Amino acid sequence: SAALTSFRNWPAFSSTSSGVMRTLYSAHDLPPPRQYPRQETLVTRGEYAEAAGYYRDHLVVEPDDNEARLRLAVLLENHLGDDAGAEALYKEVRALAPRPREEVAASDGLIDLYRRTGQTGRLMGELARFAERYRGSAAGEAARRELTDLKKEGAP
């Protein structure tokens, strides 16, 4: 979904855009997203399995790093065909006291995964959770509308 589009394209950022992001984050006293140069280099080279291994090693050393967990989930889902592994990681993020951006990214990842894989029941559950959690926001209302449309279509 649109909320995660820029996150899902993270390897495509140039050093210039990274500098802009650091400037934007520092202007609001927010730390910039963590960088994983070894993993990012491997992803850029198309060495996805090796990058995943380095993310897993990193998570052994820093088990609370949800940013790395999210990046690994995207890598598994988009490049290694491991939907179950990605789903587990998105759920782990939510269980590990995520920052607001991380929580939204995990929920968004699950919604996209369930939509893409045709898991309508799980999609409906995740949309309902998202709509309730972000009630009153544009994203929460969009989730509610999609859930309503699925129900009208007779989804299980």
Side-chain angles (χ1 to χ4, degrees):
S1 90
L4 194 55
T5 300
S6 63
F7 181 82
R8 289 185 181 276
N9 293 324
W10 55 267
F13 289 132
S14 70
S15 60
T16 303
S17 64
S18 296
V20 169
M21 290 306 293
R22 279 192 295 278
T23 301
L24 289 173
Y25 277 93
S26 66
H28 298 287
D29 285 337
L30 297 174
R34 290 201 51 181
Q35 300 296 310
Y36 307 91
R38 177 176 290 142
Q39 293 88 329
E40 291 169 6
T41 298
L42 291 168
V43 168
T44 301
R45 291 180 184 163
E47 298 174 23
Y48 305 121
E50 191 170 349
Y54 276 102
Y55 275 120
R56 287 183 182 104
D57 292 345
H58 173 81
L59 287 168
V60 169
V61 176
E62 293 191 44
D64 295 331
D65 187 351
N66 279 331
E67 184 72 27
R69 192 168 274 104
L70 286 167
R71 289 184 184 211
L72 176 57
V74 170
L75 183 61
L76 293 178
E77 183 180 0
N78 292 343
H79 298 289
L80 296 172
D82 185 358
D83 292 336
E87 179 183 23
L89 288 164
Y90 290 134
K91 288 180 177 181
E92 283 177 23
V93 168
R94 287 202 307 217
L96 293 171
R99 293 182 178 121
R101 190 203 73 76
E102 295 166 346
E103 183 178 3
V104 169
S107 294
D108 196 52
L110 286 168
I111 289 169
D112 287 346
L113 185 138
Y114 295 150
R115 189 183 295 124
R116 183 180 54 75
T117 58
Q119 298 180 60
T120 308
R122 288 184 178 184
L123 172 60
M124 291 175 70
E126 196 59 38
L127 287 169
R129 181 186 181 288
F130 193 92
E132 179 63 28
R133 173 77 172 92
Y134 300 102
R135 181 184 302 215
S137 71
E141 290 306 306
R144 184 191 54 74
R145 282 191 304 276
E146 184 175 354
L147 179 60
T148 300
D149 290 346
L150 286 171
K151 288 179 181 178
K152 285 180 185 175
E153 295 171 6

